[in-house]
Amino acid sequence: LFTKAANKFDGRSSTARYFLAQMAFDAGNVNQAEKILLNVDRNSIPEAAMLSGLIAAKRNQPEQAAASLRTYLATGRQDIRAQIALA
């Protein structure tokens, strides 16, 4: 249902796309999550940087993961997933 609603925005809603990417990641579809995340404005959705970092960590890309997760944490937001991935 959410996917159908998000598709009505034709990719214009960064918020909807971020949540779709998060849902794909949570379901274990890392490639799909990354693909969806490409259409998300990371300036308006800082959590997209965190998700990008989690994707990189899952792919064993520690430098990319750390850079994205630090970008997210620099916004002042806190998420235990980001902190654990950086540990």
Side-chain angles (χ1 to χ4, degrees), residues 14 17-42 47-61 64-65 68:
S14 282
R17 292 289 166 201
Y18 163 74
F19 282 114
L20 280 175
Q22 183 66 63
M23 288 170 39
F25 180 80
D26 291 344
N29 298 323
V30 178
N31 291 337
Q32 183 67 20
E34 185 175 47
K35 182 179 175 183
I36 295 167
L37 206 53
L38 293 174
N39 296 318
V40 175
D41 177 10
R42 294 179 189 191
E47 289 77 8
M50 181 189 63
L51 184 54
S52 179
L54 295 176
I55 289 169
K58 189 83 155 170
R59 291 192 166 154
N60 199 25
Q61 299 169 332
Q64 184 179 348
S68 293

Side-chain angles (χ1 to χ4, degrees), residues 18 22 47 50 54 69 72-73 76-86:
Y18 163 74
Q22 183 66 63
E47 289 77 8
M50 181 189 63
L54 295 176
L69 293 169
Y72 168 73
L73 292 172
R77 290 173 167 78
Q78 296 294 317
D79 190 298
I80 192 70
R81 297 173 297 168
Q83 294 167 342
I84 289 171
L86 280 171

